[in-house]
Amino acid sequence: MGNSLVRNCLSQLSAAVVLVCFIPVWATGVAERREHPVQGRTLYVSPKGSPTGDGSSDKPLDVFTALSDKGPAKPGDTILLTGGVYDGKMTGTSRVPFELSVSGSATNPVKIMPAPGESAHLNGTVLVTSSYAQFINLDIGDLSWDPTQKQHQTAAALDARGGKGAKFINCNFFGGSQGAATWTAAEDLEIYGSLIHDFGTVEETGRGHGHAWYAQNKAGTKVFASNIAYRGYGWNVHIYTQEGDIEGFEIIDNICFIAGALKPDQTVDNYLISGYRPANRIRMVGNLGYQPSNLDKWRPNARLSSYGEASNGTAVFKDNYLMGAPIGLLVGLWNDVTVEGNTLWAFDALVDVSGVATPGANYKFDKNTYIANGVKEPFKVRGGNLTFEKWQALGFDRGGSLVQRPGGRPEGTRVFVVPNRHQKGRANVGVFNWDGKSEVTVDLSSVLSKGQKFKVYNCLDIKQTISMAKPILELTYTGSAITIPMRRDKVSPQFESLLVVPVS
């Protein structure tokens, strides 16, 4: 009888409705609640849409209604934004954020994306409380961004303040007081394959402010993966707290470079995990970092530390490739930290653990590759500086190596290709061009299919929306490696970050 009841319940599924089946205890022995994937409706939105539209292509909705929890979207639905600019509202000189509260369910998320072959731009900033909503391939940022905040005020381009399980996939964020502010109440948030750039604020005197990610978390895990962050006024990854929590982060396969470059004469971190309360459950794997500035001698490329005497929980820092900054990696107080398989080069200290009294067996450094920088004792510990041999004598990096290079810096070309798991033909590419070549050969066979049309953008050319930038190449893939011109910009002389996108 129980199996018959389940079959009858399943048979009631329709293409537009999510059905939750309750199986009584007498039928199965256990009370169960099951939600089944459904094929939802498609709702259309237009810059000229109406709150009274029915969501059809002939009577599209306006964006404010469609992306709110008062709109008609249900779990499993897809919301298509027809191409164009969607202007945010204003109050005086302040931009009013778009309120994104449309929600789906864990099994049947709502998907929000441009109509096929088109691009959609939310001209302003977004305040997010959505649950189980996937925002895909959207441009989000204020075209009137004013870093001084005098003539035009903006919040963070992405301000996530609630909800659970929201995802931003292959989006482009710019033009806010920060790139993405992701607070504790936004649980299990994921930002994947996105660009975050040209953000922050600046004082007339003093340092730049604002971060690509300002992140806090307690329950669940926030995921930042396969993104590119660059050219803001402040830090790139900034997992920091004074009174909140910074527990549960996956930071995977990102490219972070030239942090703080919009403010001349400053060096700031590409990756910062540090606060006045303990950090815990941190994983940083496969990330790239480039910081050509050597001005502020206490600044690292990546920081895993704490302020005050807060002792952090567990962290894994693995297979990252970090080049530049005065300090390669700064590690503070941790109960259990693993640093393994990384490649590091910096202008001064390759690793700094000088804030730790006696790094013991809970500090697991091994199989790291260090590129010699000409500094005789490039490892900092409490009590002084060490050569690599003395560093190893402490028990660190028994399987590691210090690689000598002419001039105390890297040489040659190193290319990293990160295929996008959500969009075939899309990839992030990082090129370390130490020899200053005018062009570099890149193998995109893991990304493109033969006969596929594609574009390549230099990320430095993307300052606002992607459609406003000019690609450096537009080709049809032949199956062979492609030759890509190098910009060698003074703000990023030895590193190029490229975005490969398919052409429909």
Side-chain angles (χ1 to χ4, degrees), residues 114-141:
E118 300 185 16
S119 60
H121 172 211
L122 301 183
N123 183 23
T125 65
V126 297
L127 175 63
V128 182
T129 56
S130 294
S131 292
Y132 304 112
Q134 298 180 5
F135 300 90
I136 304 169
N137 284 110
L138 300 176
D139 285 297
I140 299 173

CSV table of all heavy atoms in Angstrom, one decimal, residues 114-141:
chain,number,residue,atom,x,y,z
A,114,PRO,N,19.7,36.9,-18.3
A,114,PRO,CA,19.3,37.6,-19.5
A,114,PRO,C,18.6,36.7,-20.5
A,114,PRO,O,18.8,35.4,-20.5
A,114,PRO,CB,20.6,38.1,-20.1
A,114,PRO,CG,21.5,38.1,-19.0
A,114,PRO,CD,21.1,36.9,-18.1
A,115,ALA,N,17.7,37.2,-21.4
A,115,ALA,CA,17.2,36.4,-22.4
A,115,ALA,C,18.3,35.9,-23.3
A,115,ALA,O,19.4,36.6,-23.4
A,115,ALA,CB,16.2,37.3,-23.2
A,116,PRO,N,18.2,34.8,-24.0
A,116,PRO,CA,19.2,34.2,-24.8
A,116,PRO,C,19.8,35.2,-25.8
A,116,PRO,O,19.1,35.9,-26.5
A,116,PRO,CB,18.6,33.0,-25.5
A,116,PRO,CG,17.5,32.6,-24.6
A,116,PRO,CD,17.0,33.9,-24.0
A,117,GLY,N,21.1,35.3,-25.8
A,117,GLY,CA,21.8,36.2,-26.8
A,117,GLY,C,21.8,37.7,-26.4
A,117,GLY,O,22.3,38.5,-27.2
A,118,GLU,N,21.3,38.0,-25.2
A,118,GLU,CA,21.2,39.4,-24.8
A,118,GLU,C,22.0,39.6,-23.5
A,118,GLU,O,22.4,38.7,-22.9
A,118,GLU,CB,19.7,39.8,-24.7
A,118,GLU,CG,18.9,39.6,-26.0
A,118,GLU,CD,17.5,40.2,-25.9
A,118,GLU,OE1,17.2,40.9,-24.9
A,118,GLU,OE2,16.7,39.8,-26.7
A,119,SER,N,22.2,40.9,-23.2
A,119,SER,CA,22.8,41.3,-21.9
A,119,SER,C,21.9,42.2,-21.2
A,119,SER,O,21.2,43.1,-21.8
A,119,SER,CB,24.2,41.9,-22.2
A,119,SER,OG,24.0,43.1,-22.9
A,120,ALA,N,21.9,42.0,-19.9
A,120,ALA,CA,21.0,42.8,-19.0
A,120,ALA,C,21.8,43.4,-17.9
A,120,ALA,O,22.6,42.8,-17.2
A,120,ALA,CB,19.9,41.9,-18.4
A,121,HIS,N,21.6,44.7,-17.7
A,121,HIS,CA,22.4,45.5,-16.7
A,121,HIS,C,21.4,46.1,-15.7
A,121,HIS,O,20.6,46.9,-16.0
A,121,HIS,CB,23.2,46.6,-17.4
A,121,HIS,CG,23.9,47.5,-16.5
A,121,HIS,ND1,24.1,48.8,-16.8
A,121,HIS,CD2,24.4,47.4,-15.2
A,121,HIS,CE1,24.7,49.4,-15.8
A,121,HIS,NE2,24.9,48.6,-14.9
A,122,LEU,N,21.6,45.8,-14.4
A,122,LEU,CA,21.0,46.5,-13.3
A,122,LEU,C,21.8,47.6,-12.9
A,122,LEU,O,22.9,47.5,-12.3
A,122,LEU,CB,20.8,45.5,-12.1
A,122,LEU,CG,20.0,44.2,-12.4
A,122,LEU,CD1,19.8,43.4,-11.1
A,122,LEU,CD2,18.6,44.5,-13.0
A,123,ASN,N,21.4,48.8,-13.4
A,123,ASN,CA,22.2,50.0,-13.2
A,123,ASN,C,22.0,50.6,-11.8
A,123,ASN,O,21.0,51.4,-11.5
A,123,ASN,CB,21.9,51.1,-14.2
A,123,ASN,CG,22.7,52.3,-14.1
A,123,ASN,OD1,23.8,52.3,-13.5
A,123,ASN,ND2,22.2,53.5,-14.6
A,124,GLY,N,22.8,50.1,-10.8
A,124,GLY,CA,22.7,50.5,-9.4
A,124,GLY,C,23.3,49.4,-8.6
A,124,GLY,O,24.2,48.7,-9.0
A,125,THR,N,22.8,49.2,-7.4
A,125,THR,CA,23.3,48.2,-6.5
A,125,THR,C,22.1,47.3,-6.1
A,125,THR,O,21.0,47.6,-6.3
A,125,THR,CB,23.9,48.8,-5.3
A,125,THR,OG1,22.9,49.5,-4.5
A,125,THR,CG2,25.0,49.8,-5.6
A,126,VAL,N,22.5,46.1,-5.5
A,126,VAL,CA,21.4,45.2,-5.2
A,126,VAL,C,21.5,44.8,-3.7
A,126,VAL,O,22.6,44.6,-3.1
A,126,VAL,CB,21.4,43.9,-6.0
A,126,VAL,CG1,21.2,44.3,-7.5
A,126,VAL,CG2,22.7,43.1,-5.9
A,127,LEU,N,20.3,44.8,-3.0
A,127,LEU,CA,20.2,44.3,-1.7
A,127,LEU,C,19.5,42.9,-1.7
A,127,LEU,O,18.4,42.8,-2.2
A,127,LEU,CB,19.3,45.3,-0.8
A,127,LEU,CG,19.0,44.9,0.6
A,127,LEU,CD1,20.3,44.7,1.4
A,127,LEU,CD2,18.0,45.8,1.2
A,128,VAL,N,20.2,41.9,-1.2
A,128,VAL,CA,19.8,40.5,-1.5
A,128,VAL,C,19.3,39.9,-0.2
A,128,VAL,O,20.0,39.8,0.8
A,128,VAL,CB,20.9,39.7,-2.1
A,128,VAL,CG1,20.4,38.3,-2.3
A,128,VAL,CG2,21.4,40.3,-3.3
A,129,THR,N,18.1,39.3,-0.2
A,129,THR,CA,17.5,38.5,0.9
A,129,THR,C,16.9,37.2,0.3
A,129,THR,O,16.2,36.5,1.0
A,129,THR,CB,16.5,39.2,1.7
A,129,THR,OG1,15.5,39.7,0.9
A,129,THR,CG2,17.1,40.4,2.5
A,130,SER,N,17.2,36.9,-1.0
A,130,SER,CA,16.6,35.8,-1.6
A,130,SER,C,17.2,34.5,-1.1
A,130,SER,O,18.3,34.4,-0.6
A,130,SER,CB,17.0,35.8,-3.1
A,130,SER,OG,16.3,36.9,-3.8
A,131,SER,N,16.3,33.4,-1.1
A,131,SER,CA,16.8,32.1,-0.8
A,131,SER,C,16.6,31.2,-2.1
A,131,SER,O,15.6,31.3,-2.8
A,131,SER,CB,15.9,31.5,0.3
A,131,SER,OG,16.2,32.1,1.5
A,132,TYR,N,17.6,30.4,-2.3
A,132,TYR,CA,17.6,29.4,-3.4
A,132,TYR,C,17.2,30.1,-4.8
A,132,TYR,O,16.3,29.7,-5.5
A,132,TYR,CB,16.7,28.3,-3.1
A,132,TYR,CG,17.1,27.6,-1.8
A,132,TYR,CD1,16.2,27.7,-0.7
A,132,TYR,CD2,18.3,26.9,-1.7
A,132,TYR,CE1,16.6,27.1,0.5
A,132,TYR,CE2,18.7,26.3,-0.5
A,132,TYR,CZ,17.8,26.4,0.6
A,132,TYR,OH,18.2,25.8,1.8
A,133,ALA,N,17.8,31.2,-5.0
A,133,ALA,CA,17.7,31.9,-6.3
A,133,ALA,C,19.1,32.0,-6.9
A,133,ALA,O,20.1,32.2,-6.3
A,133,ALA,CB,17.1,33.3,-6.1
A,134,GLN,N,19.1,31.7,-8.3
A,134,GLN,CA,20.4,31.8,-9.0
A,134,GLN,C,20.3,32.9,-10.0
A,134,GLN,O,19.5,33.0,-10.9
A,134,GLN,CB,20.5,30.4,-9.8
A,134,GLN,CG,20.6,29.2,-8.8
A,134,GLN,CD,20.8,27.9,-9.6
A,134,GLN,OE1,21.0,27.9,-10.8
A,134,GLN,NE2,20.8,26.8,-8.9
A,135,PHE,N,21.2,33.9,-9.7
A,135,PHE,CA,21.3,35.1,-10.6
A,135,PHE,C,22.5,34.8,-11.5
A,135,PHE,O,23.7,34.7,-11.1
A,135,PHE,CB,21.6,36.3,-9.7
A,135,PHE,CG,20.4,36.6,-8.8
A,135,PHE,CD1,20.4,36.0,-7.5
A,135,PHE,CD2,19.3,37.3,-9.1
A,135,PHE,CE1,19.4,36.2,-6.6
A,135,PHE,CE2,18.3,37.6,-8.2
A,135,PHE,CZ,18.3,37.0,-7.0
A,136,ILE,N,22.2,34.8,-12.8
A,136,ILE,CA,23.2,34.3,-13.8
A,136,ILE,C,23.5,35.3,-14.9
A,136,ILE,O,22.5,35.9,-15.5
A,136,ILE,CB,22.7,33.0,-14.4
A,136,ILE,CG1,22.3,31.9,-13.4
A,136,ILE,CG2,23.7,32.4,-15.4
A,136,ILE,CD1,21.6,30.7,-13.9
A,137,ASN,N,24.8,35.6,-15.2
A,137,ASN,CA,25.2,36.4,-16.3
A,137,ASN,C,24.6,37.8,-16.3
A,137,ASN,O,24.3,38.4,-17.4
A,137,ASN,CB,24.9,35.7,-17.6
A,137,ASN,CG,25.8,34.6,-17.9
A,137,ASN,OD1,25.4,33.4,-17.9
A,137,ASN,ND2,27.0,34.9,-18.2
A,138,LEU,N,24.5,38.4,-15.1
A,138,LEU,CA,23.9,39.7,-15.0
A,138,LEU,C,25.1,40.7,-14.8
A,138,LEU,O,26.0,40.4,-14.1
A,138,LEU,CB,22.9,39.9,-13.9
A,138,LEU,CG,21.7,39.0,-13.9
A,138,LEU,CD1,20.9,39.1,-12.7
A,138,LEU,CD2,20.9,39.3,-15.2
A,139,ASP,N,25.0,41.9,-15.4
A,139,ASP,CA,25.8,43.1,-15.0
A,139,ASP,C,25.1,43.8,-13.9
A,139,ASP,O,24.0,44.2,-14.1
A,139,ASP,CB,26.0,44.0,-16.3
A,139,ASP,CG,27.0,43.4,-17.3
A,139,ASP,OD1,28.1,43.2,-17.0
A,139,ASP,OD2,26.5,43.1,-18.4
A,140,ILE,N,25.9,44.0,-12.8
A,140,ILE,CA,25.3,44.7,-11.7
A,140,ILE,C,26.3,45.8,-11.2
A,140,ILE,O,27.4,45.5,-10.8
A,140,ILE,CB,25.0,43.8,-10.5
A,140,ILE,CG1,24.0,42.7,-10.9
A,140,ILE,CG2,24.5,44.5,-9.3
A,140,ILE,CD1,23.8,41.6,-9.9
A,141,GLY,N,25.9,47.1,-11.4
A,141,GLY,CA,26.8,48.1,-11.0
A,141,GLY,C,26.3,49.5,-11.4
A,141,GLY,O,25.5,49.6,-12.4
